[in-house]
Amino acid sequence: MPERGQSPPPERSSGKQLHDAPASGKGTDDASHKEDINKAALEHLTSNPRGPMEDEVDRKFDKHRKPSA
C-alpha cells in the first residue's frame, strides 16, 4: 500500500494521469469584460498608498507637537 501523498503505481493510474492530453487552459469564469475591469481598477490605484500606521508615525514624530506625558 503506498504511503500518504504518493502517487499510485502506473498500472492503477487513470487515463488522465497517463494518456489524456492536458486541458485547454481555459478557465471557468466569464472574462468577457476583463479589459474594462482591469482598466477601471488601474485608474483608481494610487502610486504609493499610505500604510495603516503612517498617520500614527507622523503624529508620534511631529516636532511641532508637545509630547503627551
Side-chain angles (χ1 to χ4, degrees):
M1 179 173 202
E3 294 191 26
R4 290 177 17 149
Q6 292 184 347
S7 298
E11 59 271 7
R12 291 185 52 220
S13 297
S14 69
K16 290 182 180 181
Q17 293 170 325
L18 291 177
H19 308 293
D20 292 352
S24 64
K26 301 291 184 189
T28 58
D29 61 340
D30 179 26
S32 58
H33 302 291
K34 182 172 66 171
E35 293 295 324
D36 297 332
I37 292 170
N38 289 343
K39 187 175 181 179
L42 187 62
E43 289 174 356
H44 298 296
L45 288 177
T46 58
S47 61
N48 193 13
R50 290 181 62 82
M53 297 299 294
E54 287 189 48
D55 292 333
E56 181 63 22
V57 170
D58 290 344
R59 185 194 64 77
K60 185 173 183 178
F61 294 105
D62 186 8
K63 295 181 180 180
H64 301 291
R65 182 185 165 114
K66 292 184 180 181
S68 57

